[in-house]
Amino acid sequence: MKIPSKLLRAAQFCQANGDCRSFINGVHIFGNTIEATNGHVAVRMTMIKKASKSIIVNIKGKVPKSAYESKLVISNNETIVKHYDKSGALTSVQVVNLIDGDYPDLDRVIPNSKDSEPVSKIGLNVDYLSLFSKMFSATKPNAKIEFFGENNAIKLTSENAITNLEFGNPELVVMPCRMD
């Protein structure tokens, strides 16, 4: 299964690390979707090619910046990801752990734009807002922010055609936090 490396890199920003809910310690790939969450922030992007089956993968280490395309190799003998540069040359190989479990239904978390509502205040961890520019820094990282009430998640989407093309119409969802 071949995946644009930039999508894996972006998803790794949102995956959990060492969480007791093991299924969120990886990136979920299904159909033409790649998504990740740590329970506080989530990202969903669309791939051009469809995955043949739904899997949750935890790549040991960060996807290298030099990687252009990544190929997941899942067999009885090995589970790895091979990274290739733009010219198709192999740049690195990483170990991948397959995670067994049911990934959370992010459709229940990602707000629908038709449900937006004005907000006078909302509590957010601002570190999560900065993820948008870190994940999509190769392009102009302007974001449209939609609010869905002071107790609901916010959604950041790109208004940049290049970002939407390269990262598959990314949606970054940030859960609210208490202000007490």
Side-chain angles (χ1 to χ4, degrees), residues 5-14 36 43 45 135-136 167:
S5 301
K6 65 178 89 182
L7 298 184
L8 286 174
R9 258 192 307 278
Q12 282 186 315
F13 276 101
C14 293
V43 67
M45 298 165 284
M135 292 189 301
F136 312 119
F167 291 93

Side-chain angles (χ1 to χ4, degrees), residues 10-16 21 24 35-44 103 106 109-110 125 127-132 135 153-154 156 171-176:
Q12 282 186 315
F13 276 101
C14 293
Q15 83 177 33
R21 300 164 292 178
I24 66 171
E35 61 187 11
T37 185
N38 64 9
H40 303 283
V41 64
V43 67
R44 177 179 279 170
Y103 206 77
L106 293 187
V109 177
I110 296 176
N125 180 331
D127 288 339
Y128 292 135
L129 295 176
S130 69
L131 287 178
F132 196 86
M135 292 189 301
I154 65 164
L156 287 81
E171 296 176 305
L172 179 69
V173 177
V174 180
M175 312 310 166

Side-chain angles (χ1 to χ4, degrees), residues 99-154:
I99 299 173
D100 189 29
D102 293 326
Y103 206 77
D105 181 4
L106 293 187
D107 284 333
R108 294 178 60 200
V109 177
I110 296 176
N112 189 324
S113 294
K114 68 178 178 61
D115 297 328
S116 67
E117 62 180 73
V119 174
S120 61
K121 64 179 179 174
I122 188 170
L124 296 169
N125 180 331
V126 294
D127 288 339
Y128 292 135
L129 295 176
S130 69
L131 287 178
F132 196 86
S133 64
K134 290 176 184 175
M135 292 189 301
F136 312 119
S137 64
T139 59
K140 193 175 180 182
N142 294 344
K144 177 174 87 172
I145 302 175
E146 295 178 78
F147 297 90
F148 301 91
E150 65 184 53
N151 296 315
N152 296 314
I154 65 164

Side-chain angles (χ1 to χ4, degrees), residues 7-78:
L7 298 184
L8 286 174
R9 258 192 307 278
Q12 282 186 315
F13 276 101
C14 293
Q15 83 177 33
N17 291 305
D19 196 285
C20 62
R21 300 164 292 178
S22 62
F23 46 84
I24 66 171
N25 289 321
V27 174
H28 185 214
I29 302 166
F30 68 101
N32 65 342
T33 303
I34 183 168
E35 61 187 11
T37 185
N38 64 9
H40 303 283
V41 64
V43 67
R44 177 179 279 170
M45 298 165 284
T46 305
M47 302 181 295
I48 294 171
K49 298 177 184 175
K50 284 191 170 190
S52 58
K53 62 180 181 175
S54 177
I55 58 171
I56 305 169
V57 295
N58 182 308
I59 300 169
K60 295 300 176 189
K62 292 183 179 182
V63 173
K65 289 186 179 189
S66 63
Y68 178 75
E69 185 173 63
S70 299
K71 181 179 179 183
L72 281 167
V73 179
I74 302 168
S75 69
N76 293 337
N77 300 335
E78 63 184 357

